[in-house]
Amino acid sequence: MKSIVEQSHDFLLPCLHQGAICIDATLGHGKDAAFFLSHKVKKVYGFEIQETVLAKTIEVLAKSNFYGILAGHEMMKKYISEPIDAIIFNFGYCPGEDQTITTLPTTSLAAVKQALQLLKIKGRMVLVMYPHEQGQNEAKLIEGYLQQLDHHLFYIEKSYQLNQHNSPYLLKIERIK
Ligand SMILES: C[S@@+](CC[C@H](N)C(=O)[O-])C[C@H]1O[C@@H](n2cnc3c(N)ncnc32)[C@H](O)[C@@H]1O
């Protein structure tokens, strides 16, 4: 069985072509950005609020088509106005870094709303959710918002493991029109 991260990447794969513009909304160590870049896309934006983490990741990725942005993803529309093919959010804290710095419900929801507005028709977005104690409010808030979106505009699927309590899960979104 593929890991949750591999499953999130599989969902975005059909959107990754030569002209694709992508966003890694929670850059961290850049594994998701590296996945985009490995598919020879046109441009990848990465948002991160920790300066030291961002600097390390820019060095590791070392690609001219990667644009690391030191800002919260809730500022996304200030930095990006072009339509986007693929977006990933991987909520929570960055393993190996300061675990007190984590994504937060209200800023995460603000960012998801902006990301939906930037998504192209047929573009895809995936949210990796962690419904443990810290992430529960964030998950509830975001799901509550997504649940009431017009199903003619967005297809939204929740994919989770039935037999493991509080395991991470995916919210997969495709813009229909
Ligand atoms: C689960 S980690 C991401 C893992 C990452 N995708 C990787 O492959 O390493 C979440 C990251 O989001 C960052 N973060 C927290 N709040 C943020 C915000 N408002 N905007 C952007 N990034 C944020 C954290 O600093 C952390 O590095």
Side-chain angles (χ1 to χ4, degrees):
M1 189 68 196
K2 289 189 175 178
S3 73
I4 201 89
V5 170
E6 287 168 332
Q7 291 176 49
S8 70
H9 290 176
D10 283 353
F11 177 68
L12 298 177
L13 199 54
C15 299
L16 305 185
H17 48 81
Q18 267 190 344
I21 315 282
C22 309
I23 300 176
D24 181 345
T26 49
L27 183 67
H29 292 151
K31 292 197 185 109
D32 300 315
F35 163 71
F36 289 142
L37 291 164
S38 74
H39 287 275
K40 313 263 177 268
V41 297
K42 187 173 176 194
K43 199 188 279 184
V44 178
Y45 294 103
F47 286 88
E48 175 55 58
I49 54 169
Q50 297 187 66
E51 195 168 359
T52 49
V53 173
L54 178 67
K56 268 193 270 178
T57 301
I58 289 175
E59 212 178 303
V60 170
L61 294 175
K63 290 269 196 232
S64 59
N65 58 341
F66 173 69
Y67 298 83
I69 300 169
L70 181 63
H73 40 217
E74 63 278 12
M75 307 296 283
M76 195 177 282
K77 282 196 80 185
K78 188 177 156 207
Y79 290 90
I80 303 173
S81 50
E82 59 190 329
I84 302 295
D85 295 273
I87 306 174
I88 189 162
F89 284 80
N90 197 328
F91 294 108
Y93 59 80
C94 190
E97 304 291 344
D98 184 344
Q99 300 197 356
T100 64
I101 301 178
T102 179
T103 55
L104 296 169
T106 46
T107 42
S108 296
L109 178 63
V112 167
K113 286 181 180 174
Q114 292 174 47
L116 288 169
Q117 289 171 20
L118 289 169
L119 207 56
K120 270 186 192 170
I121 292 171
K122 294 275 177 208
R124 289 186 173 189
M125 172 154 101
V126 68
L127 312 181
V128 186
M129 312 298 298
Y130 297 88
H132 48 61
E133 209 181 314
Q134 253 185 329
Q136 243 168 39
N137 286 343
E138 184 174 57
K140 269 192 204 149
L141 197 67
I142 291 171
E143 265 191 49
Y145 175 74
L146 294 177
Q147 259 167 7
Q148 46 84 46
L149 290 180
D150 186 344
H151 66 274
H152 296 103
L153 300 182
F154 294 100
Y155 173 83
I156 305 177
E157 184 181 297
K158 180 174 176 176
S159 146
Y160 63 99
Q161 189 182 351
L162 198 59
N163 62 344
Q164 196 187 343
H165 188 55
N166 281 352
S167 59
Y169 64 91
L170 299 181
L171 295 170
K172 300 173 183 172
I173 303 168
E174 183 173 287
R175 179 155 183 192
I176 298 166
K177 63 180 180 186

